[in-house]
């Protein structure tokens, strides 16, 4: 028994723990919610299933429609620095605050809702649990709508006798687009301080009439009724008036909306102006009262005073009224309504500034238009009852209480503020500017101006509204096709709204100013304010990215390209055009437009690539554009791009787009069908007699049935040369022949022919084969297939080699086989030798046979080219006509076939050899048969540059040549200059220093010795000996 109790207790404890431990759940008021601008709004939030302290903290944030993914922090119960700058001022001034209902529930208050407060509100609770489990935040959507509710009732003063009926009308209207209900209530104020408010009758939002406590019984008997006349008029009727019904009455209208939680919320309330109702009790005595619609006025306002006589059976009694200001008579009205003004007021009455009249037998009215400071004071009316009309003796006179009228001088306290709900907009967005004028007591005119950014200069008029509401647009804003139909509206008594439906570009940003002017009695007061707006370009952040899942596709396979477009704005209302561009492979340098999809869905296909129209499919999903190519062909291989064009919002996509961007390039490679070509590769050998015809076979073992073939024939010369293969000829898939450079002469073309024997067998026919045709032959077969729009090469295969050899008689020719090496300078002449070794044998045969010889050159690149051919009939052929003038075949004897090469050039370097063939005619008129063939040894020719001389070096060096030419001229000029200077100096010294005596001394011995120290020749020796003898 004890064990069972323990188990039961443990189970109960676990159950309680499980129930007490749950997951955190944050709940917020269900949305979407609609509230009017300027109203007091509350949003509740609570949390349950949490752990930790009983008092939880809450954080409120908002996600604005302009940036739905960016959190803007508003207010927190724990962190005073939590609000962002945009909300910090309102939070600190208690314009936004959080009221704690209990530890886990709060209420967010926004005391005066603004248009910018619309958005998604998030309530977040910081984690106090041991682990994260559940939800820590919840969101609701709040929309701010305009307050369109209005209620009005004409202010008036009514006097009714006890038992009579009174009817009051109230005009109530709304223009809210959401589904809302109206309630209309009538209230009565009692007492001098108007502290006691009593409900008369209410038409609820549920269309139910509900009387106030004091009027319940009279409502049940039908004395108090409320009738709706038309769409906006509500009439209150009270029958059997009682003295207690007197006082001030007004009408209050409320607009209600049903929230998603099925509760009704009043989103706006409006009260009308008050009217006065006096109910006179029955009796002979009468009472006099005075009332004013407004007793505190400013200069220029209108004062209306009502003098009300409370009397029973007023229709049978006669009264005359005297209007007094500070005890001084102003005007007199008799029982017929005849008006008499005092002198100082008569002139103003003639100007229409004063008016007094009898409204009824119990109501008398005094009106002063455009009051001034002199109209200050205490007003009273004195009522005298006379027995009969025309009687000057009053029965009784009563004086009303005094009413103090204060006229204040005009003091203007007008000030304005300019704001915008969106200080940063995208080109094409609407720009809404608000100008709120406060403190104005007279009609106001408004002007809006604009100063573009970075363009200092005069301000540009946007729009102006006069005092009477007339609208005038600036010259730059009159064309509605550019920015749409600009609107300037007076939303309320002091709010002017400027709407530019469609901003053009960055130039529409800058400073916008509002200038309000108040007019009164010929005077005006002006206030200005401005705000700054930034208009961002449509190209800001516009970016296109092109991608493909596969870059290599097989022929016939489909592939898809995705063009993802991103920008700093939404594409929902922006006209977008997408063009697909293509550049074939290999690149041609520019792109062709395949197709362009315009905003209205129209597709225009490019003319350069018409095949795409039948194989391409275009789709769009949000900001992703797709191009799908079905059954890819080889022509689809290349590079693709997408080009995106955007236009401004709400603008027809005509003319130049607002912004354009082009994506990255994506290459697509199309893999053609795999070639299955097989060509016979076995090696073969063919032996023929000289001069006979032969054929080389090229056989295709396997290929696709619809393929075509191009066959190229090659020749590998026999050893020992290692030259590359020579192209003989090529027959393409259309059987068009193309001969190689070595076989392009008419003689070669006539001997080498291509023939297709069957669908898979090709022959190379060689007519009149000679020993020079010996070598290894093979073919290269290309497989071509027609794919969609053109021929494409699938692959190629080479055949096996076929060796062609000649079978000759036992006769032999013996040529000198010694290899030589010769070096020659460019421009010189060189002889290459080719000699039969057995001259007698060759001479003996010459009577019955003929010899032919061919010289060959193997260039340094490895190519072997025939230079000259001596035919058996003695004719000489030059395969290379350009060498005919420099080649000379010398035959001093019948066995000498030496070749002379004149004017050696650098390109003549290489290996040379000759081949001699012996031919014999079978019989008269028969063909010639090759009897023997031999090849000489190789001669290596090396070319060098010509030896240079001093003269050639000088002539080849322009600076040295110029130096040698001009140096003598310079030296001669210097010599002439020196002689002239010496001569001039000599003449000068001769005139100044040389005298006759000095000339004699110079002829003496000492002078002679000094001037002629050296003697040369026989004549000089004799003169010397004679001079010695004289001494």
């Amino acid at each position: 028994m004890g064990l069972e109790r323990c188990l039961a207790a443990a189970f109960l404890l676990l159950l309680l723990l499980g129930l007490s431990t749950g997951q955190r759940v944050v709940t917020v008021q269900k949305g979407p919610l609609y509230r009017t601008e300027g109203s007091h709004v509350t949003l509740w939030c609570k949390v349950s299933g949490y752990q930790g302290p009983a008092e939880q903290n809450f954080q409120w944030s908002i996600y604005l429609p302009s940036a739905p993914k960016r959190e803007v922090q508003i207010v927190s119960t724990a962190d005073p620095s939590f609000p962002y700058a945009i909300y910090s001022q309102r939070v600190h001034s208690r314009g936004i605050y959080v009221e704690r209902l209990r530890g886990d529930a709060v209420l967010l208050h926004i005391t005066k809702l603004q248009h910018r407060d619309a958005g998604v509100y998030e309530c977040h609770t910081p984690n106090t649990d041991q682990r994260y489990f559940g939800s820590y935040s919840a969101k609701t959507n709040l929309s701010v709508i305009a307050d369109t509710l209005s209620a009005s009732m004409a202010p008036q003063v009514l006097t009714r006798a006890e038992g009579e009926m009174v009817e009051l009308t109230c005009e109530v209207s709304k223009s809210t687009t959401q589904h809302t209900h109206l309630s209309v209530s009538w209230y009565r104020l009692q007492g001098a301080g108007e502290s006691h408010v009593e409900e008369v009758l209410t038409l609820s939002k549920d269309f139910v009439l509900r009387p106030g406590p004091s009027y319940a019984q009279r409502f049940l008997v039908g004395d108090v009724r409320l009738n709706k006349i038309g769409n906006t008029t509500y009439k209150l009727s009270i029958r059997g008036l009682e003295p207690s019904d007197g006082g001030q009455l007004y009408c209050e209208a409320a607009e209600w909306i049903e929230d998603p939680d099925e509760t009704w919320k009043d989103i706006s309330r409006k009260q009308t102006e008050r009217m006065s109702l006096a109910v006179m009790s029955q009796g002979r005595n009468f009472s006099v009262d005075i009332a004013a619609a407004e007793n505190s006025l400013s200069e220029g306002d209108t004062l209306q005073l009502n003098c009300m006589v409370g009397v029973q059976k007023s229709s049978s009694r006669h009264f005359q009224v005297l209007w007094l200001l500070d005890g001084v008579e102003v005007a007199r009205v008799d029982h017929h309504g005849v008006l008499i003004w005092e002198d100082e007021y008569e002139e103003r009455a003639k100007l229409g500034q004063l008016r007094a009249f009898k409204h009824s037998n119990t109501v008398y009215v005094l009106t002063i238009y455009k009051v001034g400071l002199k109209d200050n004071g205490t007003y009273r009316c004195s009522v005298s009852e006379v027995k009969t009309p025309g009687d000057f003796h009053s029965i009784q006179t009563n004086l009303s209480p005094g009413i103090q009228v204060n006229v204040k001088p005009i003091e203007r306290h007008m000030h304005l503020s300019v704001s915008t709900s969106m200080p940063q907009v995208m080109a094409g967005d609407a720009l809404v500017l608000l100008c709120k004028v406060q403190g104005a007591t007279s009609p106001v005119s408004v002007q809006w101006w604009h100063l573009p950014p970075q363009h200092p200069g005069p301000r540009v008029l946007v729009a102006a509204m006069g005092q009477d509401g007339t609208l005038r647009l600036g010259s730059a804003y009159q064309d509605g096709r550019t920015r749409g139909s600009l609107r300037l509206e007076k939303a309320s008594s002091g709010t002017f709204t400027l709407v530019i439906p469609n901003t053009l570009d960055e130039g529409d940003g800058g400073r916008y100013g509002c200038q309000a002017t108040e007019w009164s009695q010929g005077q005006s007061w002006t206030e200005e304010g401005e705000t700054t707006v930034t208009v961002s370009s449509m190209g800001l952040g516009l970016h296109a990215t092109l991608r493909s899942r596969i870059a290599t596709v097989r022929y016939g396979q489909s592939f898809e390209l995705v063009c993802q477009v991103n920008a700093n704005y939404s594409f929902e209302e922006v006209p977008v055009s997408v063009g697909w561009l293509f550049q074939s492979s290999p690149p041609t340098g520019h792109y062709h437009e395949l197709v362009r999809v315009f905003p209205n869905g129209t597709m225009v296909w490019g003319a350069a690539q018409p095949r795409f129209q039948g194989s391409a499919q275009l789709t769009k999903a949000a900001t992703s554009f797709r191009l799908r190519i079905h059954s890819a062909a080889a022509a689809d291989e290349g590079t693709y791009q997408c080009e995106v064009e955007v236009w401004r919002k709400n603008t027809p996509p005509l003319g130049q787009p607002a912004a354009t961007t082009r994506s990255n390039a994506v290459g697509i490679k199309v893999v053609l069908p795999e070639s299955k070509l097989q060509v016979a590769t076995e090696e073969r050998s063919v032996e023929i007699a000289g001069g006979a015809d032969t054929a080389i076979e090229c056989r295709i073992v396997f290929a696709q049935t619809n393929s075509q073939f191009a066959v190229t024939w090659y020749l590998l010369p026999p050893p020992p040369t290692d030259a590359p293969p020579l192209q003989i000829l090529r027959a393409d898939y259309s059987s068009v022949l193309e001969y190689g450079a070595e076989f392009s002469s008419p003689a070669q073309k006539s001997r080498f022919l291509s023939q297709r024997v069957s669908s898979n067998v090709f022959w190379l026919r060689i007519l009149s084969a000679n020993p020079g045709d010996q070598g290894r032959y093979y073919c290269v077969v290309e497989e071509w297939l027609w794919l969609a729009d053109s021929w494409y090469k699938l692959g190629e295969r080479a055949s096996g080699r076929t060796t062609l050899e000649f079978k000759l008689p036992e006769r032999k020719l013996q040529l000198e086989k010694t290899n030589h090496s010769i070096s020659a300078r460019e421009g010189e002449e060189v002889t290459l030798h080719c000699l039969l070794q057995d001259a007698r044998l060759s001479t003996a045969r010459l009577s019955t046979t003929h010899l032919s010889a061919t010289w060959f050159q193997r260039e340094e690149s490895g190519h072997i080219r025939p230079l000259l051919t001596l035919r058996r009939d003695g004719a000489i052929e030059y395969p290379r006509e350009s060498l005919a003038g420099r080649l000379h075949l010398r035959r001093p004897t019948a066995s000498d076939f030496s070749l002379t090469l004149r004017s050696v050039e650098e390109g003549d370097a290489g290996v040379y050899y000759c081949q001699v063939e012996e031919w014999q005619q079978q019989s008269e008129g028969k063909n010639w048969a090759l009897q023997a063939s031999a090849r000489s040894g190789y001669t290596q020719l090396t070319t060098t540059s010509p030896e240079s001389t001093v003269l050639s070096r000088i002539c080849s060096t322009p600076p040295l040549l110029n130096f040698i030419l001009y140096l003598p001229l310079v030296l001669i000029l210097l010599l002439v200059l020196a002689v002239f200077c010496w001569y001039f100096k000599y003449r000068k010294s001769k005139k100044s220093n040389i005298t006759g005596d000095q000339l004699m001394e110079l002829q003496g011995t000492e002078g002679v010795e000094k001037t002629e120290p050296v003697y040369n020749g026989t004549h000089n020796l004799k003169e010397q000996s004679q001079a010695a003898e004289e001494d």
Side-chain angles (χ1 to χ4, degrees), residues 872 920-929:
R872 57 179 176 267
Q920 185 175 21
Q921 192 173 20
Q922 301 298 328
S923 60
E924 189 68 27
K926 299 295 184 178
N927 292 333
W928 290 80

Side-chain angles (χ1 to χ4, degrees), residues 322-331 342 344-345 378-380:
L322 189 68
W323 287 99
L324 305 172
L325 171 59
D326 293 333
V328 178
E329 182 178 342
V330 175
E342 285 299 309
E344 61 177 302
Y345 293 97
T378 301
Y379 287 82
R380 287 182 173 88

